[in-house]
Amino acid sequence: MAENGEEKLLAVARHIAKTLGHNNINMADDILQIFSNFDGRFSKENLSDKVLDSDHRSCVELDHSLKSLDQRISHFVSSDHPIWADSAGSAAFLDAVDDLVAALSEWSSLSSDKSVGACIARAENMLQHAMFRLVDEFRWLMERGGESFDLNRPYIKSTENKMQFGSGEDEDEEEMNGEEEEQIPVAIPVTDYDIVIDALPSGTINDLHEIAKRMVAGGFGKECSHVYSSCRREFLEESISRLGLEKLSVEEVHKKTWQELEDEIERWIKASNVALRILFPSERRLCDRVFFGFSSAADLSFMEVCRGSAIQLLNFADAVAIGSRSPERLFRILDVFETLRDLISEFELLFSDQYNVLLRNEAITIWKRLGEAIKGIFMELENSIRRDPAKVAVPGGGLHPITRYVMNYLLAACRSRISLEQVFEEYPKLDDRVASSTSSLSVQMDWIMELLQTNLEAKSKIYKDTALSYIFLMNNGRYIVQKAKDSDLGTLLGDDWIRKHTAKVRQYHVQYQRSSWNKILGILKLDNSNGSMGANGFAKTIKEKIKLFNAQFDEICRVQCSWFVCDEQLREEIRISLEKILLPAYENFIVRFRNVPELGGKYIRYGTGDIEAKINDLFQGSSGSNGRCK
């Protein structure tokens, strides 16, 4: 026990002397002298020799170890053939790298010693060469793994709900002929998004992981991520290119015709869904497997692989958002808005790490910008309604093109009611009288309808015939109500709005009758004062009335048969109402007329059946009328 204690004491003394010797030789001499005075066993000569012996043994041991590692590693580093072509060779190379990294870790604390420091410098140089070779092997494995997949064959869905490429005969034939052609494995367009692409064989992924683990341990994690990213980025960009999406600048997007842009938007929608639901998740999964245990390296690699393609998709959406506000663009911009909205959750899930926070925020910003573009389009629609000139009257008082355009436009827009409500949820109220519970989209629609009504009332004043102006307002008002009724637009406007505008159409109807038929009804009216004229005077008056009635009735029928009421039900309602007010008055007049012996029946041109037939011929419209409903 005493010997063991003495050995431990000597070991401590040697360690102190050795440590001091590394830092300050004079201080070491002083300490050794103190030890010597304390105990002869701690003489300066004995401890110095033992320290020197220990340093010498350390250097010899490290040098011997490095020479052995150099032989093991240089054999692989200088090889002209891929190391991973042979599993035994790759395992031996990785073992040698592990030993080298361990040696560096063990001896780095003694690097201040000149001899040990020189050995460590040699070891670091060896490690660098080994890492360079691992980079080459990493790249070779990724390229070889990609070559095992056929680019032109559709996905084959496995029983594990994964989508894999099959190998093709053409590729086998190339290998038999010894021809080598570098190809990029590319995802073929699909419609089923519930899939995962295994872009590399499982064995290759395991090999890549083993290499990545050594490179991270050796301090070359970023270099490993960069070589990984360069290979996978090429795959991803070519995949998106094969989906038909071009890389376009903002200026190039804006220069396209609307038809060209519509086609490009269609391709963008498909590419975005495939990218965010299939390609990017598959890349995330592959990164996590290759860099398992090294989350920072996995995140960095994923960012470098996907960032460029993600930015390409977002830039196109942004170009659409800041483009023209023409109303006809609403529906395609809504498609882009809805697509990006539905993919925001994918962005947040996939790009949640520190490297991608700006990209995730950019996706949300562009989505909101698309919403602002949609608001801008509705403002442009309002302006176009205000600016539509009241110059040329629609023949026959038929349906005005602006009425048909606005109503069909709003009905089509309301098919995306949920999206529009999302866009307008922060839109300011346009009328303080509207209840606070009313949605902003409802207010927006009500405002557009009010602008349309105001525009139509201005257009009705073009007609010189007041009755025809009311036919015009009836036609357009009835069309508006019928289009809105039983639709999402009507739901937004509300039942009160429908009732209000239905009543307004009835009011136009009454005003039409008053302006067109009240005068002729006045002709048929006979009051008791006519009896005081005497027989001859009464006969003369009633004869003049029947002649005036015939003339005015003929004129009204001649004119109004060219007018047009486009809604059959409305046309029938007008006819029935005319019959109800005209036929009884006419029958009563004819009875009174026939009771005058001097007149007989020779001045009566129409029977009640004739009057009814003439009324039924009204509002058919001329052959050239362009006011018919669609």
Side-chain angles (χ1 to χ4, degrees), residues 82-360:
I83 300 173
W84 260 257
D86 174 26
S87 58
S90 61
F93 184 47
L94 289 179
D95 288 342
V97 172
D98 289 339
D99 292 342
L100 179 58
V101 171
L104 276 167
S105 177
E106 179 183 353
W107 292 98
S108 60
S109 62
L110 302 177
S111 60
S112 57
D113 183 272
K114 290 184 179 180
S115 56
V116 175
C119 290
I120 290 176
R122 283 170 52 206
E124 290 176 343
N125 187 55
M126 289 167 56
L127 181 63
Q128 189 174 49
H129 283 86
M131 291 296 155
F132 288 159
R133 184 55 193 254
L134 283 178
V135 166
D136 293 338
E137 294 297 315
F138 196 93
R139 182 181 291 106
W140 179 81
L141 279 170
M142 295 197 72
E143 291 175 352
R144 189 190 67 165
E147 288 172 1
S148 66
F149 298 116
D150 180 13
L151 308 184
N152 300 311
R153 188 171 176 178
Y155 294 119
I156 303 172
K157 194 166 188 176
S158 71
T159 56
E160 297 180 355
N161 199 34
K162 297 175 183 177
M163 304 304 282
Q164 300 178 336
F165 295 94
S167 58
E169 296 178 359
D170 295 341
E171 185 174 326
D172 294 338
E173 186 175 336
E174 286 183 2
E175 291 178 357
M176 291 174 62
N177 295 334
E179 297 178 3
E180 294 184 0
E181 181 180 354
E182 185 176 354
Q183 291 181 313
I184 303 169
V186 177
I188 299 170
V190 291
T191 56
D192 179 12
Y193 300 131
D194 188 23
I195 60 178
V196 174
I197 299 173
D198 281 332
L200 294 175
S202 181
T204 300
I205 294 173
N206 292 335
D207 289 337
L208 292 170
H209 172 65
E210 292 300 322
I211 293 176
K213 185 162 61 174
R214 271 67 179 192
M215 294 190 71
V216 171
F220 282 74
K222 286 188 177 180
E223 288 77 3
C224 186
S225 291
H226 292 333
V227 69
Y228 172 89
S229 303
S230 65
C231 293
R232 295 307 304 167
R233 184 166 54 246
E234 191 174 3
F235 165 90
L236 187 60
E237 290 176 354
E238 184 64 20
S239 297
I240 291 177
S241 176
R242 286 206 174 193
L243 292 170
L245 193 64
E246 302 179 64
K247 283 187 177 181
L248 300 171
S249 66
V250 174
E251 293 75 15
E252 288 172 328
V253 172
H254 292 169
K255 285 180 181 178
K256 285 185 174 291
T257 65
W258 178 233
Q259 182 59 55
E260 291 172 337
L261 189 56
E262 279 192 306
D263 295 340
E264 196 67 30
I265 288 173
E266 184 67 29
R267 289 189 287 270
W268 178 88
I269 291 172
K270 293 178 181 177
S272 296
N273 277 292
V274 171
L276 270 297
R277 300 183 191 277
I278 299 177
L279 296 178
F280 290 174
S282 297
E283 291 301 328
R284 179 77 254 186
R285 178 173 177 267
L286 184 60
C287 280
D288 290 342
R289 293 179 66 188
V290 171
F291 296 98
F292 179 74
F294 310 104
S295 59
S296 181
D299 292 343
L300 176 62
S301 300
F302 177 72
M303 182 272 289
E304 291 186 343
V305 171
C306 297
R307 182 176 177 80
S309 296
I311 288 176
Q312 178 187 352
L313 295 173
L314 290 176
N315 282 349
F316 179 82
D318 195 33
V320 171
I322 62 177
S324 170
R325 296 289 192 269
S326 298
E328 68 270 12
R329 300 195 171 202
L330 170 68
F331 305 102
R332 271 309 187 183
I333 294 179
L334 266 170
D335 289 340
V336 177
F337 173 86
E338 291 170 347
T339 299
L340 192 53
R341 176 198 62 199
D342 295 341
L343 292 175
I344 288 294
S345 59
E346 307 296 335
F347 269 100
E348 292 178 337
L349 179 65
L350 290 166
F351 301 101
S352 59
D353 57 81
Q354 59 179 328
Y355 298 106
N356 291 295
V357 62
L358 293 178
L359 187 64
R360 183 175 69 252

Side-chain angles (χ1 to χ4, degrees), residues 552-568:
Q552 291 198 7
F553 182 72
D554 286 344
E555 179 62 17
I556 288 176
C557 290
R558 182 189 68 78
V559 171
Q560 296 194 14
C561 70
S562 65
W563 295 359
F564 182 66
V565 176
C566 60
D567 183 81
E568 291 184 10

Side-chain angles (χ1 to χ4, degrees), residues 442-610:
S442 298
V443 175
Q444 176 65 39
M445 293 300 174
D446 188 76
W447 175 243
I448 292 175
M449 299 307 297
E450 185 175 334
L451 288 175
L452 177 61
Q453 186 66 36
T454 301
N455 182 278
L456 291 172
E457 288 173 358
K459 286 177 167 57
S460 70
K461 293 178 171 57
I462 303 173
Y463 296 98
K464 295 179 180 179
D465 191 319
T466 304
L468 182 55
S469 70
Y470 289 122
I471 289 291
F472 171 78
L473 289 172
M474 260 195 292
N475 269 321
N476 288 271
R478 183 60 169 251
Y479 181 85
I480 289 170
V481 170
Q482 291 301 107
K483 281 286 187 177
K485 197 174 181 180
D486 301 325
S487 70
D488 283 336
L489 177 59
T491 303
L492 286 168
L493 294 171
D495 293 338
D496 288 342
W497 188 96
I498 298 293
R499 283 192 291 269
K500 175 184 174 182
H501 283 77
T502 301
K504 187 172 285 190
V505 173
R506 287 197 296 267
Q507 184 180 2
Y508 294 146
H509 184 179
V510 171
Q511 289 170 321
Y512 154 73
Q513 286 186 174
R514 287 175 178 171
S515 60
S516 184
W517 295 93
N518 275 9
K519 187 175 182 180
I520 201 170
L521 288 171
I523 295 171
L524 297 175
K525 187 176 180 181
L526 292 171
D527 52 37
N528 294 329
S529 63
N530 296 130
S532 62
M533 299 179 183
N536 291 333
F538 179 71
K540 182 178 180 182
T541 298
I542 201 168
K543 182 177 69 172
E544 290 175 352
K545 280 181 175 287
I546 191 66
K547 290 172 68 177
L548 186 59
F549 170 84
N550 289 337
Q552 291 198 7
F553 182 72
D554 286 344
E555 179 62 17
I556 288 176
C557 290
R558 182 189 68 78
V559 171
Q560 296 194 14
C561 70
S562 65
W563 295 359
F564 182 66
V565 176
C566 60
D567 183 81
E568 291 184 10
Q569 184 179 348
L570 177 61
R571 185 162 61 240
E572 190 63 23
E573 288 172 2
I574 296 173
R575 288 169 176 170
I576 290 172
S577 68
L578 290 177
E579 290 172 1
K580 284 183 178 180
I581 63 170
L582 186 61
L583 291 180
Y586 185 71
E587 287 177 351
N588 183 55
F589 181 84
I590 294 301
V591 170
R592 297 285 298 274
F593 187 91
R594 285 174 176 163
N595 289 334
V596 179
E598 295 88 344
L599 299 177
K602 61 181 179 179
Y603 293 105
I604 300 175
R605 186 180 300 174
Y606 300 111
T608 55
D610 299 323

Side-chain angles (χ1 to χ4, degrees), residues 59-84:
C59 289
V60 171
E61 181 183 343
L62 178 56
D63 183 65
H64 177 75
S65 177
L66 291 181
K67 285 180 179 179
S68 175
L69 286 171
D70 189 29
Q71 289 177 356
R72 292 165 60 190
I73 291 176
S74 61
H75 166 70
F76 293 107
V77 170
S78 61
S79 175
D80 293 333
H81 302 287
I83 300 173
W84 260 257

